[in-house]
């Protein structure tokens, strides 16, 4: 009995369209795996417990800025850290009668955030009670026309701008200390699952004029990428309507919205505001800015590659080329965007190292602990 043999039929060659479809599917699997692996590494870092800090047996009266958003997230970060590091915290704001509260509670310290709207005679009388006072200034050097008149009324002055220290000391302030802001982890952390936001490049911030001029010259190149800009005043950019919803005008984003956008972006640009601005600044002495802005720490805490303009003291906080990437010109920024979008492993490695450094050194509990150590030893 004979057996029929069926020769195997060779597969037909794929059409160009089928080849493209198959390659797209393979690339999708590869990219999905790499993104999942990256998010997993972010989750490991994000899940590490923070270093325990000492809890002091002191009572602090915290005077919030009273300005509402966008200062209220700063108040939340400082207050939460104080509550975790001290025995008792009394909470008030600059619009309340501080004398009555301080006289009744007898705190060991009255700590004021911002303090621009606080009647100074109240602070003077609290100091007269023998209660230590401190102010943490939020906007140096941009409002030094006002802060130069405040600082002598406090026992301790904390500024987030290194270049302001000497100016305050020249006024006779003996206790002036450099204390930048930080990342508040309940607000700024990586998105660990699939992000609802997918961008190549993000910039989030107000359209100060130096930013408008910087971006305007390179906007066509910048928008070749999947770039989105968010913030108030971007109607100052004449070409903004050309880009539709890729330039959002007139909205303050919440910290959580901002963190989601950061974490869903491959690259986040951090372009600092200028210390010279005839409209937005009150800095008649033209004190220059050397220190990183709060967004520096918030971007890094969100687990993304940060591309920042150079500030003199930036390297004290992050190693350029390892934990953060810097640029000195518009073209250098565009070139580095192009480079890191095509070098995924390098981009992710820097983002991970930036997050790790932030969690180790640049959180609000660590900053508040530094403040308390300065005052109480």
């Amino acid at each position: 009995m004979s057996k029929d043999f069926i020769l195997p039929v060779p597969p037909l060659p794929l059409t160009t369209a089928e080849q493209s479809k198959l390659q797209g599917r393979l690339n999708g699997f590869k990219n999905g795996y790499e993104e999942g692996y990256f998010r997993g590494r972010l989750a490991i870092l994000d899940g590490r417990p923070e270093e325990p800090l000492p809890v002091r047996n002191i009572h602090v009266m915290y005077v919030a800025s009273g300005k509402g958003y966008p200062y209220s997230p700063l108040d939340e970060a400082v207050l939460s850290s104080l509550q975790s590091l001290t025995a008792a915290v009394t909470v008030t704001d600059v619009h309340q009668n501080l004398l009555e509260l301080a006289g009744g509670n007898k705190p060991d310290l009255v700590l004021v955030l911002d303090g621009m709207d606080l009647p100074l005679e109240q602070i003077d009388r609290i100091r007269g009670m023998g209660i230590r006072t401190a102010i943490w200034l939020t906007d140096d050097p941009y409002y030094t026309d006002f802060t130069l008149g405040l600082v002598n009324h406090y026992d301790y002055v904390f500024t987030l701008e290194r270049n302001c220290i000497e100016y305050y000391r020249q006024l006779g302030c003996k206790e002036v200390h450099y204390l930048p802001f930080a990342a508040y982890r309940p607000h700024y952390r990586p998105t660990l699952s699939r992000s609802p936001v997918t961008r190549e490049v993000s910039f989030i911030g107000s359209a100060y004029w130096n930013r408008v001029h910087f971006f305007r010259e390179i906007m066509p190149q910048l928008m070749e990428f999947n770039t989105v800009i968010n913030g108030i005043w971007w109607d100052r950019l004449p070409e903004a309507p050309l880009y539709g919803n890729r330039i959002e005008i007139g909205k303050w984003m919440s910290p959580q919205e901002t963190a989601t956008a950061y974490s869903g972006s491959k690259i986040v640009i951090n372009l600092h505001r200028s210390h010279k601005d005839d409209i937005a600044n009150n800095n008649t002495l033209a004190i220059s800015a050397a220190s990183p802005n709060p967004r520096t720490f918030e971007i890094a805490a969100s687990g993304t590659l940060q591309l920042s303009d150079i500030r003199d003291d930036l390297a004290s906080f992050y190693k350029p080329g390892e934990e953060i990437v810097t640029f000195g010109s518009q073209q250098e920024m565009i070139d580095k965007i192009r480079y890191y979008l095509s070098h995924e492993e390098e981009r992710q490695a820097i983002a991970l190292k930036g997050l790790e450094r932030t969690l180790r050194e640049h959180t609000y509990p660590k900053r508040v602990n530094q403040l308390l150590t300065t005052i109480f030893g």
Side-chain angles (χ1 to χ4, degrees), residues 14-88:
L14 297 176
T15 66
T16 302
E18 288 171 332
Q19 289 177 358
S20 298
K21 185 176 180 181
L22 178 60
Q23 188 60 51
R25 183 177 296 177
L26 293 173
N27 289 341
F29 285 140
K30 179 176 180 291
N31 293 339
Y33 173 81
E34 290 176 349
E35 182 67 14
Y37 182 64
F38 176 58
R39 297 288 163 187
R41 296 175 73 186
L42 291 173
I44 291 171
L45 290 175
D46 187 61
R48 288 180 183 174
E50 289 197 48
E51 173 192 1
L53 296 170
V55 178
R56 290 173 169 80
N57 186 28
I58 57 173
H59 178 190
V60 177
M61 188 168 93
Y62 179 64
V63 185
S65 65
K67 288 185 172 182
Y69 198 79
Y71 290 84
S72 51
L74 299 176
D75 282 316
E76 184 179 345
V78 177
L79 175 58
S80 173
S81 301
L82 280 172
Q83 289 170 333
S84 69
L85 297 174
T86 63

Coordinates of all heavy atoms in Angstrom, one line a residue, residues 14-88:
L14 N 6.2 38.0 2.2 CA 5.3 39.0 2.7 C 5.4 40.3 1.8 O 6.4 40.6 1.3 CB 5.8 39.4 4.2 CG 5.7 38.3 5.2 CD1 6.2 38.9 6.5 CD2 4.3 37.8 5.4
T15 N 4.2 40.8 1.7 CA 4.1 42.1 1.0 C 4.8 43.2 1.9 O 5.0 43.0 3.1 CB 2.7 42.5 0.7 OG1 2.0 42.8 2.0 CG2 2.0 41.4 0.0
T16 N 5.1 44.3 1.2 CA 5.7 45.4 2.0 C 4.8 45.9 3.1 O 5.3 46.1 4.2 CB 5.9 46.6 1.0 OG1 6.7 46.2 -0.1 CG2 6.6 47.8 1.7
A17 N 3.5 45.9 2.9 CA 2.6 46.3 4.0 C 2.6 45.3 5.1 O 2.6 45.7 6.3 CB 1.2 46.5 3.4
E18 N 2.7 44.0 4.8 CA 2.7 43.0 5.8 C 4.0 43.0 6.6 O 4.0 42.8 7.8 CB 2.5 41.6 5.2 CG 1.1 41.4 4.7 CD 0.9 40.1 3.9 OE1 2.0 39.7 3.2 OE2 -0.1 39.5 3.9
Q19 N 5.1 43.3 5.9 CA 6.4 43.4 6.6 C 6.4 44.6 7.5 O 6.8 44.5 8.7 CB 7.5 43.6 5.5 CG 7.8 42.3 4.7 CD 8.9 42.6 3.7 OE1 9.3 43.7 3.5 NE2 9.2 41.6 2.9
S20 N 5.8 45.7 7.1 CA 5.7 46.9 8.0 C 4.9 46.6 9.2 O 5.2 47.0 10.3 CB 5.1 48.1 7.2 OG 6.0 48.4 6.1
K21 N 3.7 45.9 9.0 CA 2.9 45.6 10.1 C 3.5 44.6 11.1 O 3.5 44.8 12.3 CB 1.6 44.9 9.5 CG 0.5 44.6 10.6 CD -0.7 44.1 9.9 CE -1.8 43.8 11.0 NZ -3.0 43.2 10.4
L22 N 4.3 43.6 10.6 CA 5.0 42.7 11.5 C 6.1 43.4 12.2 O 6.2 43.2 13.4 CB 5.6 41.6 10.6 CG 6.4 40.5 11.4 CD1 5.6 39.9 12.5 CD2 7.0 39.5 10.5
Q23 N 6.8 44.3 11.5 CA 7.9 45.0 12.2 C 7.3 46.0 13.3 O 7.9 46.1 14.4 CB 8.7 45.8 11.2 CG 9.9 46.5 11.8 CD 10.9 45.5 12.3 OE1 11.3 44.5 11.7 NE2 11.3 45.7 13.6
G24 N 6.2 46.6 13.0 CA 5.5 47.5 14.0 C 5.1 46.7 15.2 O 5.3 47.2 16.3
R25 N 4.6 45.5 15.0 CA 4.2 44.6 16.1 C 5.4 44.2 17.0 O 5.4 44.3 18.2 CB 3.5 43.4 15.6 CG 2.9 42.5 16.7 CD 2.2 41.3 16.2 NE 1.0 41.8 15.4 CZ 0.2 40.9 14.8 NH1 0.4 39.6 14.7 NH2 -0.9 41.4 14.2
L26 N 6.5 43.8 16.3 CA 7.7 43.5 17.0 C 8.3 44.7 17.8 O 8.7 44.5 19.0 CB 8.8 42.9 16.1 CG 8.4 41.6 15.4 CD1 9.5 41.3 14.3 CD2 8.4 40.5 16.4
N27 N 8.3 45.8 17.2 CA 8.7 47.0 17.9 C 7.8 47.4 19.0 O 8.3 47.8 20.1 CB 8.8 48.2 16.9 CG 9.9 48.1 15.9 OD1 10.8 47.4 16.1 ND2 9.8 48.9 14.8
G28 N 6.5 47.2 18.9 CA 5.6 47.4 20.0 C 5.9 46.5 21.2 O 5.9 47.0 22.3
F29 N 6.1 45.2 20.9 CA 6.5 44.3 22.0 C 7.7 44.7 22.7 O 7.8 44.7 23.9 CB 6.6 42.9 21.4 CG 5.3 42.2 21.1 CD1 5.2 41.4 19.9 CD2 4.2 42.4 21.9 CE1 4.0 40.8 19.6 CE2 3.0 41.7 21.5 CZ 2.9 41.0 20.4
K30 N 8.7 45.1 21.9 CA 10.0 45.5 22.4 C 9.9 46.7 23.3 O 10.4 46.8 24.4 CB 11.0 45.7 21.3 CG 12.4 46.2 21.7 CD 13.3 46.3 20.5 CE 14.7 46.7 20.9 NZ 14.8 48.1 21.4
N31 N 9.2 47.8 22.7 CA 9.1 49.0 23.5 C 8.2 48.8 24.7 O 8.5 49.4 25.8 CB 8.4 50.1 22.6 CG 9.3 50.5 21.4 OD1 10.5 50.3 21.5 ND2 8.7 51.0 20.4
G32 N 7.2 48.0 24.6 CA 6.4 47.7 25.8 C 7.2 47.0 26.9 O 7.0 47.3 28.1
Y33 N 8.0 46.1 26.5 CA 8.8 45.4 27.5 C 9.8 46.3 28.1 O 9.9 46.3 29.4 CB 9.6 44.2 26.8 CG 10.6 43.6 27.7 CD1 10.2 42.6 28.6 CD2 11.9 43.9 27.7 CE1 11.1 42.0 29.5 CE2 12.9 43.4 28.5 CZ 12.5 42.4 29.4 OH 13.4 41.8 30.3
E34 N 10.5 47.2 27.3 CA 11.4 48.1 27.9 C 10.8 49.1 28.8 O 11.3 49.4 29.9 CB 12.2 48.8 26.7 CG 13.1 47.9 25.9 CD 13.7 48.7 24.8 OE1 13.3 49.8 24.4 OE2 14.6 48.1 24.1
E35 N 9.6 49.6 28.4 CA 8.9 50.6 29.3 C 8.5 49.9 30.6 O 8.6 50.5 31.7 CB 7.7 51.1 28.5 CG 6.9 52.2 29.3 CD 7.6 53.5 29.5 OE1 8.7 53.7 28.9 OE2 7.2 54.3 30.3
G36 N 7.9 48.7 30.5 CA 7.5 47.9 31.7 C 8.7 47.7 32.6 O 8.6 47.8 33.8
Y37 N 9.8 47.3 32.0 CA 11.1 47.1 32.8 C 11.5 48.4 33.5 O 11.9 48.4 34.7 CB 12.2 46.5 31.9 CG 13.4 46.2 32.7 CD1 13.5 45.2 33.6 CD2 14.6 46.9 32.4 CE1 14.7 44.9 34.3 CE2 15.8 46.6 33.0 CZ 15.8 45.6 34.0 OH 17.0 45.3 34.6
F38 N 11.5 49.5 32.8 CA 11.8 50.8 33.4 C 10.9 51.2 34.5 O 11.3 51.6 35.6 CB 11.8 51.8 32.2 CG 12.0 53.2 32.7 CD1 13.2 53.6 33.4 CD2 11.1 54.2 32.5 CE1 13.4 54.9 33.8 CE2 11.3 55.6 32.9 CZ 12.5 55.9 33.5
R39 N 9.6 51.0 34.3 CA 8.6 51.3 35.3 C 8.8 50.4 36.6 O 8.6 50.9 37.7 CB 7.2 51.2 34.8 CG 6.8 52.1 33.7 CD 6.7 53.6 34.2 NE 6.7 54.5 33.0 CZ 6.7 55.8 33.2 NH1 6.7 56.4 34.4 NH2 6.8 56.6 32.1
G40 N 9.2 49.2 36.3 CA 9.5 48.3 37.5 C 10.7 48.8 38.3 O 10.7 48.7 39.5
R41 N 11.7 49.3 37.6 CA 12.9 49.8 38.3 C 12.5 51.1 39.1 O 13.0 51.3 40.2 CB 14.0 50.1 37.3 CG 14.6 48.8 36.7 CD 15.6 49.1 35.6 NE 16.9 49.5 36.2 CZ 17.9 49.9 35.5 NH1 17.8 50.0 34.2 NH2 19.0 50.3 36.1
L42 N 11.7 51.9 38.5 CA 11.2 53.1 39.2 C 10.4 52.7 40.5 O 10.6 53.3 41.5 CB 10.3 53.9 38.3 CG 10.9 54.7 37.1 CD1 9.8 55.3 36.3 CD2 11.9 55.7 37.6
A43 N 9.6 51.6 40.3 CA 8.8 51.2 41.5 C 9.7 50.7 42.6 O 9.4 50.9 43.8 CB 7.9 50.0 41.0
I44 N 10.8 50.0 42.3 CA 11.8 49.6 43.3 C 12.3 50.7 44.1 O 12.3 50.8 45.3 CB 12.9 48.7 42.7 CG1 12.3 47.4 42.2 CG2 14.0 48.5 43.7 CD1 13.3 46.6 41.4
L45 N 12.8 51.8 43.4 CA 13.3 53.0 44.1 C 12.2 53.7 44.9 O 12.4 54.1 46.0 CB 13.9 53.9 43.0 CG 15.2 53.5 42.3 CD1 15.5 54.5 41.2 CD2 16.3 53.4 43.3
D46 N 11.0 53.8 44.3 CA 9.9 54.5 44.9 C 9.5 53.8 46.2 O 9.0 54.4 47.1 CB 8.8 54.7 43.9 CG 7.7 55.6 44.5 OD1 7.9 56.8 44.8 OD2 6.5 55.1 44.6
G47 N 9.6 52.5 46.2 CA 9.2 51.7 47.3 C 10.1 51.6 48.5 O 9.8 51.1 49.6
R48 N 11.3 52.1 48.3 CA 12.3 52.1 49.4 C 11.9 53.0 50.6 O 11.5 54.1 50.4 CB 13.7 52.5 48.9 CG 14.4 51.6 48.0 CD 15.8 52.1 47.6 NE 16.5 51.2 46.7 CZ 17.6 51.6 46.1 NH1 18.2 52.7 46.3 NH2 18.2 50.7 45.3
P49 N 12.0 52.5 51.8 CA 11.6 53.3 52.9 C 12.6 54.5 53.1 O 13.8 54.3 52.8 CB 11.7 52.4 54.1 CG 12.6 51.3 53.7 CD 12.4 51.1 52.2
E50 N 12.1 55.6 53.5 CA 13.0 56.8 53.7 C 13.8 56.6 55.0 O 13.4 55.9 55.9 CB 12.2 58.1 53.8 CG 11.6 58.5 52.5 CD 11.1 59.9 52.5 OE1 11.9 60.8 53.0 OE2 10.0 60.2 52.1
E51 N 15.0 57.2 55.0 CA 15.9 57.1 56.2 C 15.1 57.8 57.4 O 14.6 58.9 57.3 CB 17.1 57.9 55.9 CG 18.1 58.1 57.1 CD 19.1 59.1 56.8 OE1 19.1 59.7 55.7 OE2 20.0 59.3 57.7
P52 N 15.1 57.1 58.5 CA 14.4 57.6 59.7 C 15.2 58.9 60.2 O 16.4 58.9 60.2 CB 14.5 56.5 60.7 CG 15.6 55.6 60.3 CD 15.7 55.7 58.8
L53 N 14.4 59.9 60.6 CA 15.0 61.1 61.1 C 14.5 61.4 62.5 O 13.5 60.9 62.9 CB 14.5 62.3 60.2 CG 14.9 62.3 58.7 CD1 14.2 63.3 57.9 CD2 16.4 62.5 58.6
P54 N 15.3 62.1 63.3 CA 14.9 62.3 64.7 C 13.6 63.1 64.9 O 13.4 64.0 64.1 CB 16.1 63.0 65.3 CG 16.8 63.7 64.1 CD 16.5 62.8 62.9
V55 N 12.9 62.7 65.9 CA 11.7 63.4 66.3 C 12.0 64.3 67.5 O 12.4 63.7 68.5 CB 10.5 62.5 66.5 CG1 9.3 63.3 67.0 CG2 10.2 61.7 65.3
R56 N 11.9 65.6 67.4 CA 12.3 66.4 68.5 C 11.1 66.7 69.4 O 10.0 67.0 69.0 CB 12.9 67.7 67.9 CG 14.2 67.6 67.3 CD 14.7 68.9 66.6 NE 16.0 68.8 66.1 CZ 16.5 68.2 65.0 NH1 15.6 67.6 64.2 NH2 17.7 68.2 64.7
N57 N 11.4 66.8 70.7 CA 10.4 67.1 71.7 C 10.2 68.7 71.8 O 10.6 69.3 72.8 CB 10.8 66.5 73.0 CG 9.7 66.7 74.0 OD1 8.5 66.8 73.7 ND2 10.0 66.8 75.3
I58 N 9.7 69.2 70.7 CA 9.5 70.7 70.6 C 8.2 71.0 70.0 O 7.5 70.1 69.4 CB 10.6 71.4 69.7 CG1 10.6 70.8 68.3 CG2 12.0 71.3 70.4 CD1 11.5 71.5 67.3
H59 N 7.7 72.2 70.3 CA 6.4 72.7 69.8 C 6.7 73.8 68.8 O 7.3 74.8 69.1 CB 5.6 73.2 71.0 CG 4.3 73.7 70.6 ND1 3.4 74.4 71.4 CD2 3.6 73.8 69.4 CE1 2.3 74.8 70.8 NE2 2.4 74.4 69.6
V60 N 6.2 73.6 67.6 CA 6.4 74.6 66.5 C 5.1 75.2 66.1 O 4.1 74.5 65.9 CB 7.1 74.0 65.3 CG1 7.2 75.1 64.2 CG2 8.5 73.4 65.6
M61 N 5.0 76.6 66.1 CA 3.9 77.2 65.5 C 4.2 77.6 64.1 O 5.1 78.3 63.8 CB 3.5 78.5 66.3 CG 2.2 79.1 65.8 SD 1.6 80.4 67.0 CE 2.3 81.9 66.2
Y62 N 3.5 76.9 63.1 CA 3.7 77.1 61.7 C 2.8 78.2 61.1 O 1.5 78.0 61.2 CB 3.6 75.8 61.0 CG 3.8 75.9 59.5 CD1 5.1 76.3 59.0 CD2 2.8 75.8 58.6 CE1 5.3 76.5 57.6 CE2 3.0 75.9 57.2 CZ 4.2 76.3 56.8 OH 4.4 76.5 55.4
V63 N 3.3 79.2 60.5 CA 2.6 80.3 60.0 C 2.6 80.1 58.4 O 3.6 80.4 57.8 CB 3.1 81.7 60.4 CG1 2.2 82.8 59.8 CG2 3.3 81.7 61.9
A64 N 1.5 79.6 57.9 CA 1.4 79.4 56.4 C 1.4 80.7 55.7 O 1.1 81.7 56.2 CB 0.2 78.5 56.1
S65 N 1.7 80.6 54.4 CA 1.8 81.8 53.5 C 0.5 82.5 53.4 O 0.5 83.8 53.2 CB 2.3 81.4 52.1 OG 1.3 80.6 51.5
G66 N -0.6 81.8 53.5 CA -1.9 82.5 53.3 C -2.2 83.0 51.9 O -3.2 83.7 51.7
K67 N -1.4 82.5 50.9 CA -1.6 83.0 49.6 C -2.4 82.1 48.7 O -2.7 82.4 47.6 CB -0.2 83.2 48.9 CG 0.5 84.4 49.5 CD 1.8 84.6 48.7 CE 2.5 86.0 49.1 NZ 3.7 86.2 48.3
G68 N -2.8 80.9 49.2 CA -3.5 80.0 48.3 C -2.6 79.4 47.3 O -1.3 79.4 47.4
Y69 N -3.2 78.9 46.2 CA -2.4 78.2 45.2 C -1.6 79.3 44.3 O -2.2 80.3 44.1 CB -3.3 77.4 44.2 CG -2.6 76.4 43.4 CD1 -2.3 75.2 44.0 CD2 -2.3 76.6 42.1 CE1 -1.6 74.2 43.2 CE2 -1.6 75.7 41.4 CZ -1.2 74.5 41.9 OH -0.6 73.6 41.2
P70 N -0.4 79.0 44.0 CA 0.4 77.8 44.1 C 1.3 77.6 45.3 O 2.1 76.8 45.3 CB 1.3 77.9 42.8 CG 1.6 79.3 42.7 CD 0.3 80.0 43.1
Y71 N 1.1 78.5 46.3 CA 1.8 78.4 47.6 C 1.3 77.3 48.5 O 2.1 76.7 49.3 CB 1.9 79.7 48.3 CG 2.7 80.8 47.6 CD1 2.1 81.5 46.6 CD2 4.0 81.0 47.9 CE1 2.8 82.5 45.9 CE2 4.7 82.0 47.3 CZ 4.2 82.7 46.3 OH 4.9 83.7 45.6
S72 N 0.0 76.9 48.4 CA -0.5 76.0 49.3 C 0.1 74.6 49.2 O 0.3 73.9 50.3 CB -2.0 75.8 49.1 OG -2.3 75.6 47.7
P73 N 0.6 74.1 48.1 CA 1.3 72.8 48.1 C 2.6 72.9 48.9 O 3.1 71.9 49.5 CB 1.6 72.5 46.6 CG 0.5 73.2 45.9 CD 0.3 74.5 46.7
L74 N 3.3 74.1 48.9 CA 4.5 74.3 49.7 C 4.1 74.2 51.2 O 4.9 73.6 52.0 CB 5.2 75.6 49.4 CG 5.6 75.8 47.9 CD1 6.2 77.2 47.8 CD2 6.7 74.8 47.6
D75 N 3.1 74.9 51.5 CA 2.6 74.8 52.9 C 2.3 73.4 53.4 O 2.7 73.0 54.5 CB 1.3 75.7 53.1 CG 1.6 77.2 53.2 OD1 2.5 77.5 53.9 OD2 0.9 77.9 52.5
E76 N 1.7 72.6 52.5 CA 1.4 71.2 52.8 C 2.6 70.4 53.0 O 2.7 69.6 54.0 CB 0.5 70.6 51.7 CG 0.1 69.2 52.0 CD -0.8 68.6 50.9 OE1 -1.3 69.4 50.0 OE2 -1.0 67.4 50.9
A77 N 3.6 70.6 52.2 CA 4.9 69.9 52.3 C 5.6 70.2 53.6 O 6.1 69.3 54.3 CB 5.7 70.2 51.1
V78 N 5.7 71.5 53.9 CA 6.4 71.9 55.1 C 5.7 71.4 56.4 O 6.3 70.9 57.3 CB 6.7 73.4 55.1 CG1 7.4 73.8 56.4 CG2 7.5 73.8 53.9
L79 N 4.4 71.7 56.4 CA 3.6 71.3 57.5 C 3.6 69.8 57.8 O 3.8 69.4 58.9 CB 2.1 71.7 57.3 CG 1.1 71.3 58.4 CD1 1.6 71.9 59.8 CD2 -0.3 71.8 58.1
S80 N 3.5 69.0 56.8 CA 3.5 67.5 56.9 C 4.8 67.1 57.5 O 4.9 66.2 58.4 CB 3.2 66.9 55.6 OG 3.4 65.5 55.7
S81 N 5.9 67.7 57.0 CA 7.3 67.3 57.5 C 7.4 67.7 59.0 O 8.0 67.0 59.8 CB 8.3 68.0 56.6 OG 8.2 67.5 55.3
L82 N 7.0 68.9 59.3 CA 7.0 69.4 60.7 C 6.3 68.4 61.6 O 6.8 68.1 62.7 CB 6.5 70.8 60.8 CG 7.4 72.0 60.5 CD1 6.5 73.2 60.5 CD2 8.5 72.1 61.4
Q83 N 5.1 68.0 61.2 CA 4.3 67.1 62.0 C 4.9 65.8 62.3 O 4.7 65.1 63.3 CB 2.9 67.0 61.4 CG 2.1 68.2 61.5 CD 0.8 68.2 60.7 OE1 0.7 67.5 59.7 NE2 -0.2 68.9 61.1
S84 N 5.7 65.3 61.3 CA 6.4 64.0 61.4 C 7.7 64.1 62.2 O 8.3 63.1 62.7 CB 6.7 63.4 60.1 OG 7.7 64.2 59.4
L85 N 8.2 65.4 62.5 CA 9.5 65.5 63.1 C 9.5 66.2 64.4 O 10.6 66.4 65.0 CB 10.5 66.3 62.1 CG 10.8 65.6 60.8 CD1 11.6 66.6 59.9 CD2 11.5 64.3 61.0
T86 N 8.3 66.7 64.9 CA 8.2 67.4 66.2 C 7.1 66.8 67.0 O 6.2 66.1 66.5 CB 8.0 68.9 65.9 OG1 6.7 69.1 65.3 CG2 9.1 69.5 65.1
A87 N 7.1 67.2 68.3 CA 6.1 66.6 69.2 C 4.8 67.3 69.0 O 3.7 66.7 69.2 CB 6.6 66.8 70.6
A88 N 4.8 68.6 68.6 CA 3.5 69.3 68.5 C 3.7 70.4 67.5 O 4.7 71.1 67.4 CB 3.1 69.9 69.8

